[in-house]
Amino acid sequence: MTTNDPFRHHPGLRALIKPREDSFFADFHVDKAIEIGKQHGRATDWILTEAEIEADRAQALAGRMDRDLWVFAYGSLMWDPAVRFTEVRRGFAPGAERRFILFDINGARGTEDQPGLMAALDAGQGCHGLIFRIAARDVQDETRSLWHRERLGEAYLPRFISVETDHGTEEALAFLANHAAGNIRGDLQHDEQVRLIATGEGFLGTSREYLENLAAHFEEMKIEDAEVTRLVTDVRAYASG
């Protein structure tokens, strides 16, 4: 293992993080999302235009395109970042919290017939996750597909937050829940969360697979997350009948 190895701090993550070239989200673009939606008979009027997405990216990254960029991952970005990164670290965001409040009927891991549920990052008491370093030379190209993935609709808002790591505190880009969006559902009770995760399915897979991937990363990194542990236990019990 060399100092240039992106996994030098956490070699066990190598087998858990999908290579960029194998990711569905590599070079992702709004046009791809619209095409997939139409293929599956899904509404696409919730999808932002390319101009809106690019304007949002330019505003959020103003003055930051000439330096390395850290990105905080708390959900699917942990195992499928779909960006070129030069370093990954375990991180803790003290002012944020992972909450299962992203209600999915748009086709990714849930549909109108089988709604799903995923995590969103909200203000809170702390959130464990990963941070990925994108080299300055790649920021322009890599954040394009990242923005078209995370800012496809109104569910998330780009913000820079403080993330603590074993190698220092870094300012990292994160996508936080937008409570003005209709698919951010902070009102869901635990039993409803369990049902949605156990039964939700879309073209990216099931909501349960999403949760199990998250739990696998926590097991590797020896992270204790009471909500994820409780959800995994209850979802498995629900699925087994």
Side-chain angles (χ1 to χ4, degrees), residues 172-192:
L173 171 68
F175 293 90
L176 274 67
N178 175 16
H179 285 270
N183 54 342
I184 294 296
R185 294 283 305 276
D187 60 322
L188 295 173
Q189 299 301 307
H190 178 74
D191 288 350
E192 184 69 0

Side-chain angles (χ1 to χ4, degrees), residues 69-73 77 130-134 143 146 172-175:
L69 177 71
W70 288 99
V71 178
F72 182 68
L77 288 179
L130 300 176
I131 56 171
F132 296 91
R133 185 203 293 264
I134 301 175
T143 58
L146 178 65
L173 171 68
F175 293 90

Side-chain angles (χ1 to χ4, degrees), residues 18 55 59 69-70 80 99 142 176 220 222 224 240:
K18 183 179 294 187
Q59 179 179 12
L69 177 71
W70 288 99
D80 188 11
R99 300 181 62 207
E142 296 304 310
L176 274 67
E220 169 61 32
K222 305 298 188 290
E224 295 184 6
S240 66

Side-chain angles (χ1 to χ4, degrees), residues 52-224:
E52 289 172 325
I53 295 171
E54 288 300 320
D56 184 79
R57 179 168 73 118
Q59 179 179 12
L61 296 179
R64 299 174 183 271
M65 287 290 196
D66 60 348
R67 67 188 80 166
D68 289 3
L69 177 71
W70 288 99
V71 178
F72 182 68
Y74 62 89
S76 63
L77 288 179
M78 293 177 70
W79 59 86
D80 188 11
V83 296
R84 295 182 181 88
F85 60 92
T86 59
E87 185 179 354
V88 58
R89 299 181 193 171
R90 174 175 169 173
F92 178 75
E97 186 172 332
R98 181 189 300 100
R99 300 181 62 207
F100 281 80
I101 56 176
L102 180 60
F103 184 74
D104 186 13
I105 61 171
N106 293 321
R109 292 187 183 273
T111 65
E112 291 184 3
D113 295 331
Q114 290 181 277
L117 194 68
M118 293 178 286
L121 193 64
D122 207 357
Q125 300 302 308
C127 180
H128 290 281
L130 300 176
I131 56 171
F132 296 91
R133 185 203 293 264
I134 301 175
R137 64 180 180 274
D138 294 325
V139 169
Q140 176 65 41
D141 290 339
E142 296 304 310
T143 58
R144 184 171 185 267
S145 58
L146 178 65
W147 237 265
H148 283 242
R149 171 184 181 175
E150 298 297 305
R151 285 289 286 135
L152 192 63
E154 299 284 4
Y156 299 136
L157 298 172
R159 297 289 186 267
F160 281 87
I161 63 173
S162 179
V163 180
E164 300 167 357
T165 82
D166 290 341
H167 305 276
T169 298
E170 304 290 351
E171 183 183 53
L173 171 68
F175 293 90
L176 274 67
N178 175 16
H179 285 270
N183 54 342
I184 294 296
R185 294 283 305 276
D187 60 322
L188 295 173
Q189 299 301 307
H190 178 74
D191 288 350
E192 184 69 0
Q193 291 174 317
V194 169
R195 185 185 67 80
L196 290 169
I197 295 171
T199 60
E201 183 172 2
F203 67 87
L204 285 181
T206 67
S207 292
R208 181 180 176 181
E209 288 169 347
Y210 174 96
L211 177 65
E212 295 281 2
N213 273 328
L214 194 57
H217 273 73
F218 287 175
E219 182 178 358
E220 169 61 32
M221 294 186 294
K222 305 298 188 290
I223 291 173
E224 295 184 6

Side-chain angles (χ1 to χ4, degrees), residues 48 50 121 237:
L48 298 178
E50 178 175 7
L121 193 64

